[in-house]
């Protein structure tokens, strides 16, 4: 079986409305240092606010409970592997 990153892995960025101001900074650094580029789908999960960015698919959970929001977001992703990262984890070198 061949592993095809675009079919097997998604990136899920967990955020919330309160910290949505971090998303433009996060996406700039993530796009710069994420070595896989756009080879896999990238999602950003928030309560109700979306990031206007063509490379990220918004997931609106309408949930303030972190555990439930995470579960809702994960249920909307179809790939078997998910790289989960938080909105305040800023990459500063290639990953």
């Amino acid at each position: 079986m061949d592993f095809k990153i675009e079919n097997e892995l998604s990136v899920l960025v967990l955020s919330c409305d309160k910290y949505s101001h971090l998303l433009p900074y996060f996406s700039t650094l993530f796009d710069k240092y994420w070595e896989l580029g756009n080879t896999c789908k990238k999602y950003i999960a928030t309560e109700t606010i979306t990031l206007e960015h063509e490379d990220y698919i918004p997931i609106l959970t309408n949930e303030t409970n972190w555990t439930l929001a995470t579960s809702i977001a994960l249920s909307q992703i179809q790939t078997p592997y998910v790289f989960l990262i938080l909105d305040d984890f800023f990459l500063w070198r290639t990953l």
Side-chain angles (χ1 to χ4, degrees):
M1 179 166 79
D2 292 324
F3 181 82
K4 295 191 180 191
I5 198 80
E6 65 273 6
N7 298 331
E8 302 289 330
L9 176 69
S10 294
V11 174
L12 173 59
V13 183
L14 293 176
S15 187
C16 64
D17 290 358
K18 183 176 179 181
Y19 293 103
S20 63
H21 65 280
L22 296 175
L23 293 175
Y25 305 108
F26 173 88
S27 63
T28 297
L29 291 170
F30 191 84
D31 292 345
K32 180 177 181 178
Y33 294 113
W34 179 248
E35 195 169 83
L36 296 176
N38 287 327
T39 57
C40 55
K41 290 184 180 177
K42 296 183 281 188
Y43 298 87
I44 292 185
T46 60
E47 296 151 7
T48 61
I49 297 174
T50 61
L51 170 70
E52 297 299 325
H53 194 297
E54 64 185 32
D55 294 334
Y56 291 84
I57 301 164
I59 296 177
L60 302 179
T61 65
N62 293 307
E63 180 59 62
T64 57
N65 179 290
W66 192 87
T67 304
L68 292 175
T70 303
S71 179
I72 291 167
L74 287 170
S75 73
Q76 295 184 40
I77 296 174
Q78 302 302 312
T79 57
Y81 302 102
V82 177
F83 179 79
L84 191 142
I85 189 167
L86 303 180
D87 58 3
D88 59 353
F89 289 10
F90 295 136
L91 298 184
W92 56 275
R93 65 180 195 203
T94 303
L95 178 66

